[in-house]
Amino acid sequence: MKKILGTIIMIVMLIIISTNICICTSTSALLNNYTTADAILVLGCGTNDGKPSLMLQDRLDKAIELYENNQAFTVLLSGDPNDNEVEIMKEYMVDQGIDENVLILDNEGYSTYQSLYNAKNIYNFNNVIVVSQQYHLYRALYIGLSLNMDVTGVCAQNMIYNGQIIRDAREILARTKDYFNCILKLETDYIGINV
């Protein structure tokens, strides 16, 4: 029994390691390519007391920089509606001087996969610059490629964030999950609220 359990654990570990290597190596060349695109996609990552979290603020600041450098003329803000995330993202960007007419709000970005799926299939953006922290961008870009999108990623990381070790560990598992989601080409549960 111990031998069987050991074999199962080894197989699971090999799957996790190989899927992570595949995702990171296949997308690393797409990082920090400052190109033009149809839209800048900012992936949500939480708020604190009605304000963007520090990680989210870094993503929004990077999106503002890209927009002001004319690398896209539309910014797609994607996040979870449960904490009013995209409205908070919008408010922050408007406060920084961005015209709200260039902002599109995706209130159904429940996951990275969902956000990329919505960008292509709901908002019809095929060519996007994805803004997130580097550890997260590998997976986001891999999802975009699997959806036949023309994607590049720009890193928003300006510091080491509290709890990063936990996020890194979670991301290892999330990469494996989304590797298989991409193979299966899963449909999403988008229901069209607040489009």
Side-chain angles (χ1 to χ4, degrees), residues 41 43-44 78 109-118 130 136-137 139-141 143 147 170-171 174 177-178:
L41 171 60
L43 299 171
S78 186
Y110 296 100
S111 68
T112 304
Y113 188 93
Q114 179 94 47
S115 293
L116 271 295
Y117 182 94
N118 293 352
V130 183
H136 182 218
L137 276 174
R139 176 165 58 103
L141 295 173
I143 293 167
L147 295 170
R170 177 191 171 279
E171 186 65 17
K177 170 190 67 93
D178 278 337

Side-chain angles (χ1 to χ4, degrees), residues 36-164:
T36 57
D38 297 329
I40 299 161
L41 171 60
V42 184
L43 299 171
C45 63
T47 61
N48 291 321
D49 297 322
K51 303 284 184 188
S53 65
L54 196 53
M55 287 181 71
L56 183 54
Q57 182 176 325
D58 282 345
R59 294 180 190 186
L60 295 168
D61 287 341
K62 182 57 72 173
I64 291 167
E65 176 188 321
L66 295 170
Y67 175 77
E68 290 178 342
N69 288 335
N70 298 318
Q71 291 179 262
F73 298 109
T74 302
V75 180
L76 177 57
L77 306 174
S78 186
D80 191 328
N82 292 327
D83 64 354
N84 209 26
E85 188 173 28
V86 292
E87 289 293 337
I88 292 168
M89 293 164 77
K90 172 188 170 183
E91 183 178 330
Y92 179 84
M93 293 194 79
V94 170
D95 286 348
Q96 304 306 307
I98 301 300
D99 183 345
E100 67 179 290
N101 292 317
V102 306
L103 305 175
I104 296 176
L105 309 185
D106 173 21
N107 288 301
E108 294 188 38
Y110 296 100
S111 68
T112 304
Y113 188 93
Q114 179 94 47
S115 293
L116 271 295
Y117 182 94
N118 293 352
K120 178 168 184 177
N121 295 292
I122 306 301
Y123 300 101
N124 299 312
F125 291 123
N126 192 55
N127 180 1
V128 299
I129 301 169
V130 183
V131 178
S132 188
Q133 279 69 26
Q134 183 168 331
Y135 80 96
H136 182 218
L137 276 174
Y138 298 110
R139 176 165 58 103
L141 295 173
Y142 189 83
I143 293 167
L145 292 175
S146 80
L147 295 170
N148 297 313
M149 298 174 72
D150 183 3
V151 289
T152 58
V154 174
C155 300
Q157 189 162 350
N158 294 325
M159 60 177 292
I160 301 297
Y161 305 95
N162 288 335
Q164 190 58 45

Side-chain angles (χ1 to χ4, degrees), residues 15-17 19-20 23 139 171-181:
I15 290 170
I16 291 170
I17 291 168
T19 53
N20 273 262
I23 286 174
R139 176 165 58 103
E171 186 65 17
I172 289 168
L173 298 176
R175 287 183 193 133
T176 299
K177 170 190 67 93
D178 278 337
Y179 178 89
F180 290 104
N181 284 345

